[in-house]
Amino acid sequence: MSFYLSLFVFIISLVAGLVLMIMAKGMHREKFLLLSSIHGIFLLAFLASLILQNSESAYNYFFMIFICSGVVLSGLSWRSDSPKVLRIYFSVFTLTFPIFLLSPSLLLNFLLTASFNKSTEQMLPLQGRYYLEKQNISRKKEDIEHYKLILKKGIFHQTVQRDLSFGGKLDSVKVIQFEPGEFIMIRGYTSQNTYVSTDKDSLDVQVPLASKKPGAIEYRL
């Protein structure tokens, strides 16, 4: 749900920024400074949340609002009578757009966690730079967890295969066989807790390492 929210807020901020850049040409400096001060309040709220945040929570919505408000004002800053230093400052927020085009999931993680390295979902290490990560959206109409196989390339992640299912939520994984460039055989362990017992199960899944679009960076959530 948080991913949908961050995607919605970011898209709205892009649209609002574009509309303001077109419609609000020649805005007086005082009005722009007032809007900038509201943006500054969001920054202070974010800094305060870092001090008061619950360590159990992975999300920081104040940071998302701070970034998105900067996106809204980025175009307006060059169309108004604003100080040059603010124009340069708000131009930095336009970098979020090419990042979004290159890797939407990377940007949405950044908006929610204030970090390019922190993921809101657990990544299960497999072999080398290959990992399993829980999907937020699946094309299959099944009420079970789905995972994707990713290849880490620095801060960017290439999705190799999607919609992998092990019959439930994974507790752990084990690599049974790994053939570089061909396939990886993964054994996924799941468990189902009841009032009287814990039932454990496992399923082996062979995953091809050649994606449908070789070398393509993931554009889906």
mmCIF file of all heavy atoms in Angstrom, residues 5-26:
data_model
loop_
_atom_site.group_PDB
_atom_site.id
_atom_site.type_symbol
_atom_site.label_atom_id
_atom_site.label_comp_id
_atom_site.label_asym_id
_atom_site.label_seq_id
_atom_site.Cartn_x
_atom_site.Cartn_y
_atom_site.Cartn_z
ATOM 1 N N LEU A 5 0.952 4.557 -2.565
ATOM 2 C CA LEU A 5 0.841 5.924 -2.065
ATOM 3 C C LEU A 5 1.997 6.779 -2.555
ATOM 4 O O LEU A 5 1.795 7.911 -3.034
ATOM 5 C CB LEU A 5 0.801 5.924 -0.534
ATOM 6 C CG LEU A 5 0.789 7.304 0.139
ATOM 7 C CD1 LEU A 5 -0.456 8.074 -0.258
ATOM 8 C CD2 LEU A 5 0.890 7.166 1.656
ATOM 9 N N SER A 6 3.232 6.282 -2.446
ATOM 10 C CA SER A 6 4.392 7.057 -2.874
ATOM 11 C C SER A 6 4.365 7.295 -4.383
ATOM 12 O O SER A 6 4.726 8.371 -4.850
ATOM 13 C CB SER A 6 5.687 6.342 -2.477
ATOM 14 O OG SER A 6 5.780 5.068 -3.088
ATOM 15 N N LEU A 7 3.913 6.291 -5.147
ATOM 16 C CA LEU A 7 3.798 6.465 -6.595
ATOM 17 C C LEU A 7 2.766 7.533 -6.930
ATOM 18 O O LEU A 7 3.015 8.418 -7.767
ATOM 19 C CB LEU A 7 3.414 5.135 -7.247
ATOM 20 C CG LEU A 7 3.173 5.170 -8.761
ATOM 21 C CD1 LEU A 7 4.442 5.580 -9.493
ATOM 22 C CD2 LEU A 7 2.673 3.820 -9.254
ATOM 23 N N PHE A 8 1.621 7.486 -6.246
ATOM 24 C CA PHE A 8 0.558 8.469 -6.497
ATOM 25 C C PHE A 8 1.021 9.879 -6.158
ATOM 26 O O PHE A 8 0.833 10.817 -6.943
ATOM 27 C CB PHE A 8 -0.676 8.096 -5.667
ATOM 28 C CG PHE A 8 -1.799 9.093 -5.754
ATOM 29 C CD1 PHE A 8 -2.606 9.160 -6.874
ATOM 30 C CD2 PHE A 8 -2.031 9.975 -4.706
ATOM 31 C CE1 PHE A 8 -3.630 10.079 -6.951
ATOM 32 C CE2 PHE A 8 -3.053 10.903 -4.775
ATOM 33 C CZ PHE A 8 -3.854 10.956 -5.898
ATOM 34 N N VAL A 9 1.637 10.046 -4.994
ATOM 35 C CA VAL A 9 2.085 11.373 -4.560
ATOM 36 C C VAL A 9 3.161 11.910 -5.497
ATOM 37 O O VAL A 9 3.159 13.102 -5.855
ATOM 38 C CB VAL A 9 2.613 11.314 -3.110
ATOM 39 C CG1 VAL A 9 3.238 12.651 -2.711
ATOM 40 C CG2 VAL A 9 1.486 10.965 -2.152
ATOM 41 N N PHE A 10 4.081 11.047 -5.933
ATOM 42 C CA PHE A 10 5.150 11.514 -6.818
ATOM 43 C C PHE A 10 4.598 11.939 -8.182
ATOM 44 O O PHE A 10 4.993 12.983 -8.721
ATOM 45 C CB PHE A 10 6.204 10.419 -7.000
ATOM 46 C CG PHE A 10 7.345 10.829 -7.875
ATOM 47 C CD1 PHE A 10 8.291 11.760 -7.443
ATOM 48 C CD2 PHE A 10 7.477 10.305 -9.152
ATOM 49 C CE1 PHE A 10 9.337 12.163 -8.258
ATOM 50 C CE2 PHE A 10 8.526 10.695 -9.975
ATOM 51 C CZ PHE A 10 9.460 11.625 -9.534
ATOM 52 N N ILE A 11 3.687 11.145 -8.742
ATOM 53 C CA ILE A 11 3.093 11.506 -10.035
ATOM 54 C C ILE A 11 2.327 12.818 -9.921
ATOM 55 O O ILE A 11 2.416 13.693 -10.802
ATOM 56 C CB ILE A 11 2.160 10.380 -10.533
ATOM 57 C CG1 ILE A 11 2.964 9.114 -10.841
ATOM 58 C CG2 ILE A 11 1.406 10.836 -11.777
ATOM 59 C CD1 ILE A 11 4.000 9.272 -11.922
ATOM 60 N N ILE A 12 1.562 12.975 -8.834
ATOM 61 C CA ILE A 12 0.824 14.222 -8.622
ATOM 62 C C ILE A 12 1.783 15.402 -8.522
ATOM 63 O O ILE A 12 1.512 16.492 -9.058
ATOM 64 C CB ILE A 12 -0.044 14.126 -7.353
ATOM 65 C CG1 ILE A 12 -1.202 13.151 -7.574
ATOM 66 C CG2 ILE A 12 -0.583 15.501 -6.959
ATOM 67 C CD1 ILE A 12 -2.172 13.569 -8.656
ATOM 68 N N SER A 13 2.912 15.218 -7.844
ATOM 69 C CA SER A 13 3.881 16.309 -7.707
ATOM 70 C C SER A 13 4.493 16.676 -9.055
ATOM 71 O O SER A 13 4.730 17.862 -9.326
ATOM 72 C CB SER A 13 4.974 15.925 -6.707
ATOM 73 O OG SER A 13 5.776 14.866 -7.205
ATOM 74 N N LEU A 14 4.734 15.685 -9.911
ATOM 75 C CA LEU A 14 5.251 15.974 -11.253
ATOM 76 C C LEU A 14 4.249 16.774 -12.072
ATOM 77 O O LEU A 14 4.610 17.766 -12.720
ATOM 78 C CB LEU A 14 5.587 14.671 -11.981
ATOM 79 C CG LEU A 14 6.845 13.919 -11.559
ATOM 80 C CD1 LEU A 14 6.975 12.621 -12.354
ATOM 81 C CD2 LEU A 14 8.096 14.774 -11.751
ATOM 82 N N VAL A 15 2.992 16.349 -12.024
ATOM 83 C CA VAL A 15 1.944 17.046 -12.778
ATOM 84 C C VAL A 15 1.752 18.456 -12.245
ATOM 85 O O VAL A 15 1.659 19.427 -13.008
ATOM 86 C CB VAL A 15 0.627 16.258 -12.721
ATOM 87 C CG1 VAL A 15 -0.501 17.047 -13.382
ATOM 88 C CG2 VAL A 15 0.786 14.903 -13.401
ATOM 89 N N ALA A 16 1.694 18.591 -10.912
ATOM 90 C CA ALA A 16 1.507 19.914 -10.302
ATOM 91 C C ALA A 16 2.674 20.827 -10.631
ATOM 92 O O ALA A 16 2.488 22.022 -10.920
ATOM 93 C CB ALA A 16 1.359 19.777 -8.788
ATOM 94 N N GLY A 17 3.886 20.296 -10.602
ATOM 95 C CA GLY A 17 5.059 21.103 -10.932
ATOM 96 C C GLY A 17 5.026 21.578 -12.367
ATOM 97 O O GLY A 17 5.381 22.732 -12.663
ATOM 98 N N LEU A 18 4.607 20.697 -13.286
ATOM 99 C CA LEU A 18 4.517 21.078 -14.697
ATOM 100 C C LEU A 18 3.449 22.140 -14.925
ATOM 101 O O LEU A 18 3.661 23.114 -15.654
ATOM 102 C CB LEU A 18 4.216 19.834 -15.542
ATOM 103 C CG LEU A 18 4.124 20.040 -17.052
ATOM 104 C CD1 LEU A 18 5.448 20.569 -17.598
ATOM 105 C CD2 LEU A 18 3.738 18.743 -17.751
ATOM 106 N N VAL A 19 2.296 21.960 -14.276
ATOM 107 C CA VAL A 19 1.208 22.937 -14.419
ATOM 108 C C VAL A 19 1.623 24.296 -13.872
ATOM 109 O O VAL A 19 1.384 25.341 -14.502
ATOM 110 C CB VAL A 19 -0.059 22.426 -13.706
ATOM 111 C CG1 VAL A 19 -1.131 23.527 -13.661
ATOM 112 C CG2 VAL A 19 -0.605 21.190 -14.417
ATOM 113 N N LEU A 20 2.255 24.318 -12.716
ATOM 114 C CA LEU A 20 2.688 25.585 -12.118
ATOM 115 C C LEU A 20 3.758 26.256 -12.967
ATOM 116 O O LEU A 20 3.780 27.488 -13.097
ATOM 117 C CB LEU A 20 3.218 25.341 -10.706
ATOM 118 C CG LEU A 20 2.161 25.043 -9.632
ATOM 119 C CD1 LEU A 20 2.840 24.724 -8.311
ATOM 120 C CD2 LEU A 20 1.210 26.224 -9.469
ATOM 121 N N MET A 21 4.639 25.464 -13.560
ATOM 122 C CA MET A 21 5.691 26.035 -14.399
ATOM 123 C C MET A 21 5.092 26.731 -15.624
ATOM 124 O O MET A 21 5.593 27.749 -16.092
ATOM 125 C CB MET A 21 6.653 24.939 -14.848
ATOM 126 C CG MET A 21 7.843 25.448 -15.656
ATOM 127 S SD MET A 21 9.004 24.126 -16.093
ATOM 128 C CE MET A 21 7.963 23.105 -17.157
ATOM 129 N N ILE A 22 3.977 26.193 -16.130
ATOM 130 C CA ILE A 22 3.334 26.765 -17.314
ATOM 131 C C ILE A 22 2.420 27.931 -16.953
ATOM 132 O O ILE A 22 2.421 28.979 -17.624
ATOM 133 C CB ILE A 22 2.530 25.682 -18.062
ATOM 134 C CG1 ILE A 22 3.483 24.595 -18.580
ATOM 135 C CG2 ILE A 22 1.746 26.291 -19.221
ATOM 136 C CD1 ILE A 22 2.769 23.410 -19.194
ATOM 137 N N MET A 23 1.644 27.769 -15.868
ATOM 138 C CA MET A 23 0.581 28.730 -15.567
ATOM 139 C C MET A 23 1.011 29.875 -14.657
ATOM 140 O O MET A 23 0.395 30.942 -14.694
ATOM 141 C CB MET A 23 -0.588 27.994 -14.898
ATOM 142 C CG MET A 23 -1.158 26.852 -15.725
ATOM 143 S SD MET A 23 -1.901 27.391 -17.282
ATOM 144 C CE MET A 23 -3.269 28.367 -16.653
ATOM 145 N N ALA A 24 2.049 29.661 -13.852
ATOM 146 C CA ALA A 24 2.383 30.672 -12.835
ATOM 147 C C ALA A 24 3.630 31.469 -13.213
ATOM 148 O O ALA A 24 4.465 31.780 -12.363
ATOM 149 C CB ALA A 24 2.593 29.986 -11.495
ATOM 150 N N LYS A 25 3.762 31.822 -14.460
ATOM 151 C CA LYS A 25 4.907 32.604 -14.909
ATOM 152 C C LYS A 25 4.906 33.984 -14.260
ATOM 153 O O LYS A 25 3.878 34.647 -14.174
ATOM 154 C CB LYS A 25 4.884 32.756 -16.426
ATOM 155 C CG LYS A 25 6.061 33.545 -16.977
ATOM 156 C CD LYS A 25 5.979 33.662 -18.491
ATOM 157 C CE LYS A 25 7.147 34.466 -19.028
ATOM 158 N NZ LYS A 25 7.084 34.613 -20.513
ATOM 159 N N GLY A 26 6.070 34.405 -13.790
ATOM 160 C CA GLY A 26 6.207 35.735 -13.219
ATOM 161 C C GLY A 26 5.668 35.874 -11.815
ATOM 162 O O GLY A 26 5.312 36.982 -11.389
#
